[in-house]
Each structure stands twice: as structure tokens, then as C-alpha cells.
Amino acid sequence: MEELILELKKEIIEVLNLEGMTPDDIDNDAPMFGDEGLALDSIDALELIVLLEKNYGIKLANAAAGKEVFKSVRTMAEYVSKNRTK
Amino acid sequence: MAGSLVVTGMGIISGLGTGKDKTLQALFAEKSAVGPIKHLQTTHTDIPVSEVEMTDEEMKTALHIPQSQLVTRTPLMAMIAAKEAIQQAHLQENKPKRIAFINGTTVGGMEKSEQFYLDFLGNENHKEFIAAHDCGAGTDAVADYFGIFDMTTTISTACSSAINALIIGANLIRTGKVDAAVVGGTECLSKFHLNGFNTLMILDRETCKPFSKNHVGLNLGEGAAYLVLEKAEAAQLRGVQPLCELNGYANFCDAFHQTATSPNGQGPYLAMQGALADANLQPSDIDYISCHGTGTGNNDSTEGIAITRVFGEHIPDFSSTKAFTGHTTSAAGSVEAVISILALQNNFIPANLNFSEKMDEVDITPVTKTKRKDIQHVMNNSFGFGGNDSSCIFSKIK
Amino acid sequence: MDIFIQSAAQISIQNPLCDDWFENPIAHTEGYNRSIEPDYKPFINPMAARRMGKLIKRAIATSISAKQSAGLEQVDAIITGTGLGCIENTEKFLSAMVNEGEQFLQPTYFMQSTHNTISSQIALNQKCNGYNCTYSHRGTSFESGLSDALQQMLLGRINNALVGGHDEMTPDYYNMLGKIGYWKQGELSEQILRQSSSKGSFAGETSVALIVGTNKTEHALCKLRDVDLLYKPSETALQDAVQRMLQQNNLQPSDIDALMLGLSGDCEYDAIYTNFANAFGKNTPIAWYKHIFGESFTAPAFGVYAAATCLAKESVPSHLLHNQKNEVKSPRNILLYNHFQNIDHSLILLSKC
């Protein structure tokens, strides 16, 4: 799981263009959306949905479905390990 | 407002058909033009759209343009719609001194660029389409077809482009820069923006359901529509019968997010409020609102909230015609302006198709069946990406 | 009613956010040039900047800079001219779609690709709910925006506006335009452009922001008297438009101390400027600006910026003059004329404050 978390962090930094950030700057359990933590927004959520589909073969039906999955990097990693098709 | 402005001609092409008569018939028949993709070459065959029936070749034939002549689909649709408007206003026979063509478009020549992009980059093939890529190229192609324009320009404010074209044309007439203006917008479907909207996950896989609790997104459509604007006195001097008055308009920016509207609908609120103030009308004067009503959760709830903020307890009859035509993006403002004026002239309110239940966010219900009603003033809303929000009001000639 | 250009800011192939070019312009010898980027940190926070392409950053930096120079807290309107919009993001989305098919496409590139992204990102950054509009009409995109602001001030709909001209030139778009004759080949010099003996020009990038308004501010640059857009005018129609503009502003041709023309080194298009100047009067000094800022769809914004700067500094320096060497001292009125491929033409009249 730790390996997958690190991999996801690297991908998140790249796809969301989080300039100057390293995986160490992202807390595994901190909220990704909202006012705290990474403070990502709805467009970031769409980018993460593309990331899941492209890199792990996971298709989310709609943007709302991302809410639970993208709570933190850890919840995202757990979801990926359970549902990945590649 | 000093020196009233009138509409002396209008023309339209959309999935509903070519011309005002076909459009009116389809509205009365409550028949949606949204269906499976026929023309656009895409792998997303499960996404319904509203396409203009005619192929490019058929449009060229209808316009007496040689098949060999390079014209992309967006200006072809514009020519058909503008021709109907120009003929109705007798602009060619009885030409005002200076005429402007103010055109709204965003896709421009993209439908060809996306086909030939690898050629553009790699070899000399199809390089003639490079010059047709930008938005202004199509505008000038339309101007050349008619040969009556003294100035042209192109507005690109995404889905509110056509209303903004109308606003700019009106201002140019008011200051005396021009004597008449042909204003509106045109947009063909492209793989580029179909995929773009798809990545935003706001496309409904069924016909859209504006203002309905079960709405899940919009349908893209293509089309073009234009209005001829001039001063009332100028129309009278030319002996042309005005169709209605352009009574007021406003453009504001939501300044909240690139693709989403603020929770309290600030931009739409300011646009509607501004148009009322410009027209010197009270909210209670409005008999019908032709809404932007795309069918996305974000648009419908924020537009609804903005409407309740402007109109309070007494919300006028309102409907979105997006389930008829699809969202014709840069053309939507003028497509719906033509529909609004048809409603004004024929005293009816077009149905908001596919409505089943009120949204949770706001307690409002659109007109769901075609309704006969005397209409004096109609408000037309158009909102776009980037929070570009505009509204205008058409009124019967007193 | 008097209308003023209160302030201006630019990012270009000259030193950014300053008037260094007025004394010491950088000479360019390459056909393809990118803008010199300033440090954007004072203008945009990094979290907001992460989705912004170069063009948006430039637009926000020039807008903030112009607003600060004019001493304005807020503007009534934000109006942008852009020939191509955010073409870099358009290309990213388009090439992914063409090369990898219609899947896994990134929404950010799409939503940042629309032309009005520039105006709306400025509005977002400045929290401005006022009028917001974008013109994308080839070589007269910027002048269309300037005309819009002018008409609205004349009608009393707004008192001031932020008007910008913004275009980037990506390597791919440069190559594409090269295929249809936009650019000269080989090493360039001002001399080669001045000789104008071959087709094409050289490429620059444009980011110019102006504040225009009805209440003169302390450091106002000049008066904006008139803007006219003309579609395929005959030579007579063009001269009539000039006459009309001068008459309406109570000026004689002899009151015009310099013409600021869109000469670019393209033999075909420069000939039209030469005809224009000859018809206007052979003795009027001719100034140009594309030799230092390069050609782009919104390059005419540099014309307005350069002419406004000359009026404010009371000099048209010799390096801006095309047909003579002697500096024009204390210019009172400058008439600007530009055309895009002899299709869309624009006339702008500026006067000293």
C-alpha cells in the first residue's frame, strides 16, 4: 500500500501541476479537497478521474462518485488497489 | 432609453430545421431535435446531439456556392441563417449607409483543423485550411458572401457569444458608428468541444432535462441565428416593418470559477437585473424568461436561484428550449433570441421538455407544455464559461 | 467627452513591464521570438498559477501592472482582444485527441483553451463582476476591444475599462503559419524589414494592457479620440473614413504629426501602407513598431501603446521612424492605421493630453 501511495502522490503532483511540491509534502490522511490540505477543486477531481481511468483502468460513472474516493491519498490508494484492472 | 432600437429581420438554422417557420412548427409540435450522431465523426457514438440536417455540400448548393470553394461548416450555417435575416430586413435592396456584421463563434474552423492537424504539422496537405482555423476567418467568409458589410468583428465568449454580439451591435448603432448591424452567432459541432464537454462530465446520455431534479447534463447542438438591428427611425425611413424592440441588455461577469457558476448565481443575477434597469422595466413587466437552462446541475440551480433573487415571489413563466435544439454554444444566445421573438410575435411560451420534478435547491417549475399567452416583454438569458453572463429583453412595438 | 489612455503595460520580445524599448530597443535577428518573461510571483500565487499557461500569466501581470499605474482599485469592464486565444492549451488538447484518440483527455486543457479564458481569468484574479468580453477577429481583435470600450464610455455605460491585446505564438503555430507565407526565412535585420522586398514578417508575441477612462488621472498618457474598423474598404472608402474621423474631431491633416503604421516588412502588405501614407500627405512622418515588437494578430496593441508612450514622452524617437531619421518633437496628434491582409482595417486617433 505504501508503494501505491507514493506512486499516486507522484502522479497527482504531475497531473495537477503542483509546482514545487514533493510526495513528502502530501499527508496520506489529510483531506485533498476543501479549504484544508491540498485544497483541490472540482476540476482537479475531473483530472483525478482521468488519472484513474488512464493508469488503473478504473471508470467512475460521474463526478459525484469521486467524492468518497478522493477523500485522502490513502482512500484513493485503497480504492485503486481494490478496483484496478491494470 | 433614447432612440429605440428595433429588430427588422431574423434568421435561424438548427436541428429543428432551416428558417423561422420550421422552428415555430417544431416548437408547437414539442418535438426535440436531439438524437444519435449522424454527421460528426467521433468514437463517442453514445452521446446524443442535435445536428443541422444538411451536409456541407447541401448547404453550398442551397447557397449557390461552388463545391470547390473552401468554406467550413460554421460559416456555411451562418450564411443560411443570416440570409433569411438580411432578406427579411431588405438590407440588400435598401442598404443602410454603414452595416456591421458582429459574429459570435468559438469553434471557428476547428472541425477541419481536427481532421487535418497531423497534416498541418507534418506536410503540405490541406494547408489551405490553416488560414480558416481562427474565429475571425469564418466571420469574414460570411461577410464576403453578402458583400454589404462595412465593418466586421468576432466575439468569442463561449456560450454567451451571440448575446454579446447583439450588445456590441446595439452600442455601435447607438453611438452612430454604424446604421445597422447583423448580429448573432454560429457554431458547428466539433470533436474538439464534444470531447471537451465530455471530460467535464456534463453531457447527458439521454435528451437533457433542464430544471428537472433528475437532470444530469447537457446535449450539444449546432446551429446559427442572426438578427438585424437598427434604430426605429431608420427602419421607418427604409420602409421596413420592425418585428420588435430591443429594449435592454446587460453583460456581467460571475468572476467565480472558469467553468462553474457561483452558488448564489451572482453573474446571472447581475445580468438579469442589469437588463431590467437598462430597459427601465420592473421585474413584474416580464411575461416570459427564455432561460439558459442547459440541464447541468450547476447551471440550472444557480440560474434558478438568480431568478428567485431578481423576481422574488412572482416568478414569470420560464422555460429552456435546450431540449429542443441542444446547447448550440456560441449560437445559443441568438438561436434563443429568435425563439424568444417568435414567442413574442405568436403569443406563446415554448415548452420546457422532459421536466419531471422540481430541483431540491430551488422551488421553481418551468412551463412544461406549450402555453398560449399574451406576451409584451421577454427576457433572454445566455451564460458562458468564464462566468460570461448576459441577458437581454425584447418588447412588442407599442 | 474626453477619453484618456491612463496607463499601459506590456510583456513582449522587449524588456517586460517597462519602457526600456523607448530608449534602447532590443534588436532581433531570428524569425521566431518568444516574449521575455518577468517574475510572476508578485502577481499570481503559485496555487492559482499552476493551471495557467504563459499567456494567462502575462495577461494577469500586465493587467495588474496597468491598473496599479492608473491608481485604480477596480475597473468597470474587462475587454480582451486575442487572435488565437490560449492556443498552447488548445494544441495540448487537440494533439492528445489526434494522437491518442478520444479518451483520457484532460479537462484542464479544454477549459483553458477557450478564447475567453484570458478575460475571465483576469476577472477572477481581480474579482471584477463588471462587463467582460473577448474579441477574436484576426488582425483587428485588439482594436475591436478598444472600440467596444470607447462606444460604452460615449454611451455612459462605463467610466473606465481594462483593454488588453494578448496572443502567444507556439512553435507549432509558428510553423503552420509559415506554411502559408507569414514569415521571412533566414537572418533578419531592421534593414531587411525596412526594405520590404519579400513576403512575410517576423513573429513576436503580444501582451498589452491599457486602462482607458473618462476621468483623467495624474499620469494619463494621451487622449483616445476615435477608433474605426473597416471591412475591405476601397481606397476611396478608406480616405473617406480618415476625412470623417479628422472632421469629427476638428482636425486638419496638417494637425497629424505622425502616422503610426502597421508596416511589417511584408512587401505586399507594406505597399498598402505606403499608398495610405501617400494619399494622406507625403510630408507626414511615418512611424512603425512591428520591427521591434514583431508581428502577431494583436500586434496593433503595440502601435497604440507605442503612440501613447510617444505622446506622453513628447517625442517620437528616431528608431521608430520609417521614412526619416529626425526625431519628431512634441507630437500633438498621431493617427494609427493597420490592416490585416488588406481585409480588416483599423484607424485610431490619439492626441496629447
Side-chain angles (χ1 to χ4, degrees):
Chain A
M1 187 60 76
E2 290 307 308
E3 210 173 292
L4 179 60
I5 285 178
L6 182 66
E7 181 181 302
L8 280 171
K9 283 181 180 176
K10 282 181 187 162
E11 288 169 345
I12 290 169
I13 288 169
E14 195 206 326
V15 74
L16 302 184
N17 204 9
L18 302 174
E19 272 174 39
M21 276 193 122
T22 66
D24 289 345
D25 298 329
I26 304 176
D27 189 315
N28 293 354
D29 297 298
M32 288 205 280
F33 291 83
D35 296 332
E36 292 162 58
L38 282 180
L40 303 179
D41 68 9
S42 59
I43 297 300
D44 295 310
L46 294 173
E47 290 288 357
L48 295 180
I49 289 173
V50 177
L51 187 157
L52 286 189
E53 193 178 350
K54 191 173 179 179
N55 296 359
Y56 303 100
I58 299 172
K59 224 176 154 105
L60 294 188
N62 55 57
K67 268 211 170 110
E68 288 299 309
V69 180
F70 303 135
K71 266 188 176 159
S72 66
V73 181
R74 190 184 300 281
T75 59
M76 191 175 166
E78 283 163 358
Y79 188 83
V80 168
S81 67
K82 248 182 251 162
N83 297 286
R84 65 191 299 169
T85 61
K86 66 180 181 189
Chain B
M1 254 200 291
S4 69
L5 289 186
V6 293
V7 177
T8 53
M10 57 183 194
I12 184 167
I13 183 168
S14 76
L16 297 178
T18 304
K20 298 185 283 280
D21 293 345
K22 286 266 170 55
T23 307
L24 194 58
Q25 282 163 20
L27 291 172
F28 277 124
E30 298 186 3
K31 195 174 173 319
S32 168
V34 175
I37 295 176
K38 275 187 284 190
H39 298 316
L40 187 72
Q41 299 296 310
T42 169
T43 57
H44 297 297
T45 49
D46 61 325
I47 298 176
V49 296
S50 167
E51 289 176 307
V52 163
E53 184 77 31
M54 279 193 271
T55 61
D56 292 10
E57 290 70 26
E58 286 165 344
M59 284 194 276
K60 281 183 183 173
T61 304
L63 291 159
H64 308 288
I65 293 173
Q67 293 298 335
S68 57
Q69 194 175 323
L70 184 160
V71 195
T72 57
R73 189 165 174 83
T74 287
L76 282 171
M77 295 188 311
M79 288 170 195
I80 288 187
K83 193 171 190 170
E84 186 186 9
I86 286 168
Q87 283 176 346
Q88 185 174 24
H90 301 285
L91 282 189
Q92 273 161 321
E93 309 90 288
N94 196 354
K95 187 184 177 296
K97 201 155 176 239
R98 270 175 64 81
I99 313 180
F101 179 47
I102 317 290
N103 189 33
T105 191
T106 303
V107 167
M110 180 59 87
E111 47 106 18
K112 285 290 183 290
S113 301
E114 66 193 19
Q115 281 177 45
F116 303 135
Y117 194 57
L118 295 175
D119 290 327
F120 288 1
L121 296 178
N123 57 54
E124 295 290 306
N125 297 338
H126 303 294
K127 69 177 181 183
E128 62 279 12
F129 285 103
I130 292 172
H133 172 82
D134 69 279
C135 296
T139 302
D140 286 349
V142 178
D144 284 341
Y145 178 75
F146 294 104
I148 57 168
F149 295 108
D150 302 279
M151 74 159 278
T152 64
T153 193
T154 309
I155 309 298
S156 189
T157 55
C159 306
S160 62
S161 300
I163 289 273
N164 286 331
L166 172 143
I167 292 174
I168 283 128
N171 286 341
L172 284 164
I173 296 169
R174 288 230 154 86
T175 59
K177 267 288 166 201
V178 299
D179 303 292
V182 176
V183 300
T186 180
E187 201 108 287
C188 76
L189 286 173
S190 75
K191 231 162 70 168
F192 186 91
H193 76 286
L194 183 84
N195 276 283
F197 278 86
N198 194 37
T199 64
L200 298 176
M201 301 182 93
I202 50 171
L203 293 178
D204 195 337
R205 260 54 180 177
E206 299 168 2
T207 308
C208 66
K209 308 153 190 77
F211 298 111
S212 186
K213 189 175 177 176
N214 62 341
H215 57 180
V216 292
L218 58 85
N219 308 129
L220 285 171
E222 60 182 1
Y226 293 91
L227 308 178
V228 178
L229 298 178
E230 56 191 308
K231 282 189 177 152
E233 311 87 82
Q236 197 175 13
L237 280 174
R238 293 199 309 116
V240 180
Q241 194 64 37
L243 311 179
C244 68
E245 189 179 339
L246 170 60
N247 211 342
Y249 45 80
N251 159 324
F252 283 94
C253 186
D254 197 45
F256 173 73
H257 188 271
Q258 181 59 24
T259 52
T261 308
S262 57
N264 70 346
Q266 185 65 7
Y269 167 79
L270 291 170
M272 287 187 269
Q273 196 73 278
L276 282 169
D278 197 37
N280 206 9
L281 290 175
Q282 297 302 314
S284 57
D285 293 324
I286 299 297
D287 301 301
Y288 167 50
I289 311 171
S290 171
C291 290
H292 190 55
T294 57
T296 67
N298 181 249
N299 176 85
D300 294 355
S301 63
T302 56
E303 185 173 13
I305 288 163
I307 286 172
T308 58
R309 285 176 67 195
V310 175
F311 293 93
E313 297 285 292
H314 305 284
I315 291 173
D317 285 334
F318 71 94
S319 67
S320 158
T321 52
K322 293 284 196 299
F324 280 99
T325 58
H327 187 354
T328 55
T329 53
S330 293
S334 52
V335 162
E336 286 153 31
V338 169
I339 291 174
S340 297
I341 297 170
L342 287 173
L344 190 74
Q345 289 179 309
N346 296 280
N347 293 307
F348 79 105
I349 290 166
N352 187 109
L353 303 179
N354 306 328
F355 178 86
S356 58
E357 199 184 339
K358 275 192 287 196
M359 300 178 283
D360 290 335
E361 298 86 350
V362 51
D363 182 18
I364 53 167
T365 306
V367 172
T368 57
K369 295 299 273 176
T370 315
K371 178 174 163 182
R372 288 285 183 181
K373 176 187 175 182
D374 180 55
I375 300 176
Q376 292 299 322
H377 306 284
V378 48
M379 174 182 270
N380 178 18
N381 288 343
S382 244
F383 311 138
F385 271 9
N388 276 139
D389 300 322
S390 294
S391 187
C392 66
I393 297 170
F394 299 104
S395 301
K396 273 207 181 107
I397 303 279
K398 285 181 208 84
Chain C
M1 180 193 283
D2 281 341
I3 291 165
F4 301 89
I5 297 181
Q6 316 277 24
S7 62
Q10 60 82 24
I11 293 172
S12 67
I13 61 175
Q14 296 294 324
N15 283 331
L17 302 173
C18 65
D19 292 339
D20 284 1
W21 61 271
F22 190 81
E23 304 282 340
N24 299 302
I26 298 168
H28 288 277
T29 54
E30 302 285 327
Y32 177 51
N33 305 279
R34 303 302 299 257
S35 286
I36 302 169
E37 310 282 356
D39 178 9
Y40 291 107
K41 284 204 195 79
F43 302 103
I44 311 163
N45 80 57
M47 202 58 184
R50 70 198 166 91
R51 284 201 201 113
M52 293 178 183
K54 285 194 184 79
L55 190 63
I56 302 284
K57 288 180 186 166
R58 293 174 192 159
I60 288 176
T62 51
S63 298
I64 292 174
S65 187
K67 252 178 75 179
Q68 284 170 348
S69 303
L72 276 182
E73 284 292 309
Q74 193 53 281
V75 288
D76 293 344
I78 295 173
I79 305 172
T80 298
T82 178
L84 296 170
C86 299
I87 194 71
E88 187 183 12
N89 280 316
T90 307
E91 286 176 347
K92 281 181 180 164
F93 194 83
L94 183 57
S95 61
M97 187 177 84
V98 169
N99 290 310
E100 292 156 43
E102 297 173 73
Q103 52 176 352
F104 313 137
L105 295 167
Q106 292 186 254
T108 302
Y109 295 141
F110 174 68
M111 65 173 228
Q112 301 282 34
S113 76
T114 51
H115 301 69
N116 67 332
T117 306
I118 305 166
S119 252
S120 59
Q121 289 288 324
I122 298 169
L124 258 177
N125 179 275
Q126 299 293 305
K127 300 189 171 42
C128 177
N129 286 121
Y131 179 93
N132 192 291
C133 198
T134 302
Y135 289 83
S136 184
H137 194 67
R138 317 174 106 182
T140 50
S141 302
F142 171 77
E143 298 96 305
S144 297
L146 196 60
S147 162
D148 183 355
L150 182 70
Q151 311 310 319
Q152 290 200 70
M153 284 187 276
L154 291 172
L155 293 170
R157 296 182 77 90
I158 56 171
N159 290 317
N160 58 49
L162 167 67
V163 182
H166 302 283
D167 268 302
E168 59 189 341
M169 184 60 68
T170 60
D172 282 348
Y173 219 88
Y174 175 79
N175 289 332
M176 278 162 50
L177 291 179
K179 288 183 183 181
I180 53 172
Y182 271 65
W183 317 122
K184 287 197 192 305
Q185 303 298 315
E187 195 175 318
L188 287 173
S189 67
E190 188 191 316
Q191 194 53 31
I192 291 172
L193 294 172
R194 196 185 291 270
Q195 278 165 356
S196 190
S197 54
S198 61
K199 281 290 291 168
S201 184
F202 82 110
E205 297 185 298
T206 304
S207 273
V208 174
L210 305 177
I211 299 288
V212 292
T214 52
N215 298 316
K216 183 174 178 294
T217 54
E218 197 185 338
H219 303 292
L221 301 174
C222 67
K223 284 183 192 168
L224 171 65
R225 303 285 289 272
D226 213 343
V227 181
D228 233 349
L229 299 163
L230 302 154
Y231 184 70
K232 291 192 173 173
S234 64
E235 280 187 41
T236 325
L238 184 58
Q239 288 310 316
D240 287 350
V242 171
Q243 290 309 321
R244 197 168 56 229
M245 187 178 276
L246 293 180
Q247 262 169 21
Q248 282 172 354
N249 290 282
N250 300 315
L251 293 175
Q252 301 292 325
S254 57
D255 294 323
I256 301 296
D257 299 311
L259 298 172
M260 180 71 83
L261 304 181
L263 291 154
S264 70
D266 182 297
C267 58
E268 183 186 347
Y269 303 140
D270 282 0
I272 293 156
Y273 293 110
T274 312
N275 286 345
F276 177 88
N278 287 341
F280 190 82
K282 281 204 167 68
N283 296 323
T284 311
I286 297 171
W288 61 329
Y289 54 93
K290 289 182 184 171
H291 63 301
I292 57 172
F293 291 107
E295 182 66 288
S296 87
F297 286 108
T298 40
F302 288 120
V304 174
Y305 162 69
T309 307
C310 291
L311 288 163
K313 293 183 186 275
E314 301 187 336
S315 159
V316 184
S318 63
H319 70 80
L320 285 184
L321 290 166
H322 194 269
N323 62 340
Q324 65 174 66
K325 290 245 162 29
N326 299 333
E327 169 198 4
V328 176
K329 287 181 183 150
S330 309
R332 298 159 300 161
N333 305 294
I334 298 179
L335 178 65
L336 292 92
Y337 167 59
N338 189 71
H339 72 83
F340 173 76
Q341 298 180 356
N342 203 15
I343 300 169
D344 296 295
H345 301 240
S346 66
L347 291 166
I348 299 171
L349 181 60
L350 302 180
S351 298
K352 74 182 182 72
C353 284

